[in-house]
Amino acid sequence: MSDSTVSDPLAELSAAGVSVWLDDLSRELLAGGELEKLIADKHVVGVTTNPTIFASALSKGDRYNEQLRLLAGKGVSVDDAVLALTTDDVRAACQTFGPVHLRTGGTDGRVSIEVDPRLARDSDATIDQARKLWETVDRPNLLVKIPATREGLAAITAVVAQGISVNVTLIFSLDRYRAVMDAYLTGLEQARAAGHDLADIHSVASFFVSRVDTEVDRRLDALGTPEAQALKGRAAIANARLAHQAYAEMTAGSRWQALAAAGARPQRPLWASTGVKNPAYPDTMYVSELVIAGTVNTMPGSTLTAFADHGTVAAGTPSADDYAASTAHFETLRRTGVDFTDVTDTLEREGLGKFEDSWSELTASVDREMRAVSTDEPGSSRPSPKKSAGADLLAIYLNDHLSGATAGLELFRRAAQTQQGQEHGTTLAELAHAVEQDRDSLTQIMTDLGVSTDHAKVALGWFAEKAGRIKPNGHLFSRSPLSDVLELESMLLGVQAKSACWRVLRALADSDERLFVEHLDELLERAERQAATLEQLRLTVAGPVFRSAQPSSG
């Protein structure tokens, strides 16, 4: 096969008018040259960031150590250290994307940085921090991320009026999206009155996609009817298409036309949360189904890799029939019993909570790392502390739990795979994803405590789960009605054991500064929610199984 016939789905996506942005950034990505390779080879023309991404970057490698040591030596606060670390990375990324920014006339080559999500309900504080981020990074291709809360709308208008470019994030509903567009237009009008060059102001509106299907599917599973099952996996794309219809209506209006004549740039729709959460769905569906010229798709690394490998560019700008079909889908959801307004309200509330949790994780990581490096000599590696007998026992204990967590994760994944497309499939897929995150948290805690992973023991846990698939359920190799009950009970026991581990670490946190109370409390709460969900599923499944075994009366 000649080079001219080799498929390049990302090139095709770019040629179709979609800007490919990466939802990831780290100092390793910057310093290792990987970001330049993604720009050159994978058609990446922008980057978005969030606190979770920065916290993950901080935990890998030692590229932050020297700066952390200097910050600790100066006695700066954790919040100021977070500002320094994140803005330095974002400034460097802006520099890397400088040629793209110039080549596209400022449209792409954009790098986003998020305001502290704890300020999402405070307009004035959000405005102040947005201005501080803008001035600190001091690069024309920066976008400041502001959540689209009601309070955030006023902040969006105010910062745009000051000439600051904005990435409006956490948009789920069409009504809120229209309010975001109105806030942007109002900001542009005020900027024009203040004498700003409108051509220098850029914005994207981040419309979240996959989380919509996750929440709607969960409610359809709860309804449990054949009609409800037939509606799964379609709300997110329909919602995004209707958002594009709203955007097209706005840009056709006289208000926008007047601003465009004055040099204003459109606030492009950005498809966010495009990683597929449900393994039953194609892993590129939230890219392939939203190939719309003039939009942005920001992808996590796994989705970018998947699309580069086997993505397809089949869809195009939605037609009037597509818009009508999307509207009809939501009418059918309403008749079926799904309140979509409550869905989007729930997603915004949960999204804010996740943002705040991520920020707490980031500040805890920075605090932990600053204290860890503050005693190091510049250029030296960290000394290995002398281990006590208690430390050895803790290492054994944590490796035992890591082995169990590995086996448990395999069980959750298998259960989710088995139940794909069935009543409880979405719930089990979400649980499997959460359990994977918890296992990652355990490995990070072990790293923080200086505990090495016993890979043989972890592998044994994986093997034990595989070998344990033959259970006393009445069938040696096939599943019986009892299989689901036994699996749910095993998963519940695993979550309860995980809770016990978190409680032990929570008790140790009172005297060990390497452990963080807030993070462990959050892990405990998550485990309790998982246990409650599993208990409800267990009883739901067990009832019909055992009632069918009761002798009939008469």
Side-chain angles (χ1 to χ4, degrees), residues 363-495:
T363 55
S365 296
V366 170
D367 186 25
R368 176 173 61 244
E369 294 296 324
M370 285 176 70
R371 283 186 285 165
V373 302
S374 62
T375 58
D376 293 351
E377 291 296 326
S380 68
S381 59
R382 297 184 192 176
S384 300
K386 212 172 188 184
K387 288 187 177 180
S388 66
D392 288 337
L393 291 174
L394 180 61
I396 295 170
Y397 175 79
L398 292 177
N399 270 291
D400 283 345
H401 272 281
L402 182 58
S403 177
T406 300
L409 176 57
E410 288 297 316
L411 178 58
F412 273 90
R413 284 173 172 168
R414 176 161 56 89
Q417 185 72 26
T418 301
Q419 295 293 328
Q420 274 187 24
Q422 300 184 41
E423 182 179 359
H424 306 303
T426 300
T427 301
L428 287 169
E430 292 172 3
L431 282 169
H433 180 66
V435 168
E436 182 176 14
Q437 290 179 316
D438 289 343
R439 189 191 63 170
D440 291 344
S441 291
L442 177 56
T443 58
Q444 181 58 55
I445 289 170
M446 291 171 66
T447 299
D448 295 339
L449 293 173
V451 173
S452 299
T453 300
D454 186 337
H455 295 287
K457 185 174 286 187
V458 172
L460 183 62
W462 179 87
F463 176 78
E465 193 283 327
K466 304 297 184 187
R469 293 187 179 187
I470 301 176
K471 298 180 176 65
N473 58 11
H475 292 223
L476 279 178
F477 301 107
S478 62
R479 294 180 66 85
S480 81
L482 192 56
S483 298
D484 292 340
V485 179
L486 291 172
E487 280 186 346
L488 287 166
E489 290 188 350
S490 296
M491 288 186 281
L492 179 57
L493 289 171
V495 170

Side-chain angles (χ1 to χ4, degrees), residues 298-421:
T298 183
M299 311 176 205
S302 57
T303 302
L304 183 76
T305 299
F307 195 87
D309 179 67
H310 54 266
T312 57
V313 181
T317 300
S319 65
D321 287 343
D322 291 325
Y323 294 144
S326 296
T327 300
H329 180 73
F330 285 105
E331 176 58 25
T332 304
L333 282 176
R334 185 193 64 77
R335 290 198 311 268
T336 305
V338 175
D339 182 346
F340 194 67
T341 298
D342 186 64
V343 167
T344 56
D345 287 347
T346 298
L347 288 171
E348 179 181 302
R349 184 171 60 253
E350 291 181 349
L352 278 176
K354 290 175 182 176
F355 277 13
E356 292 174 4
D357 289 345
S358 295
W359 192 266
S360 296
E361 179 185 353
L362 173 58
T363 55
S365 296
V366 170
D367 186 25
R368 176 173 61 244
E369 294 296 324
M370 285 176 70
R371 283 186 285 165
V373 302
S374 62
T375 58
D376 293 351
E377 291 296 326
S380 68
S381 59
R382 297 184 192 176
S384 300
K386 212 172 188 184
K387 288 187 177 180
S388 66
D392 288 337
L393 291 174
L394 180 61
I396 295 170
Y397 175 79
L398 292 177
N399 270 291
D400 283 345
H401 272 281
L402 182 58
S403 177
T406 300
L409 176 57
E410 288 297 316
L411 178 58
F412 273 90
R413 284 173 172 168
R414 176 161 56 89
Q417 185 72 26
T418 301
Q419 295 293 328
Q420 274 187 24

Side-chain angles (χ1 to χ4, degrees), residues 19 45 97-110 202 265 268:
S19 292
V45 293
F97 278 103
V100 177
H101 183 245
L102 290 174
R103 172 169 53 83
T104 61
T107 298
D108 283 312
R110 294 278 159 182
H202 290 254
R265 308 284 192 133
R268 291 185 294 167

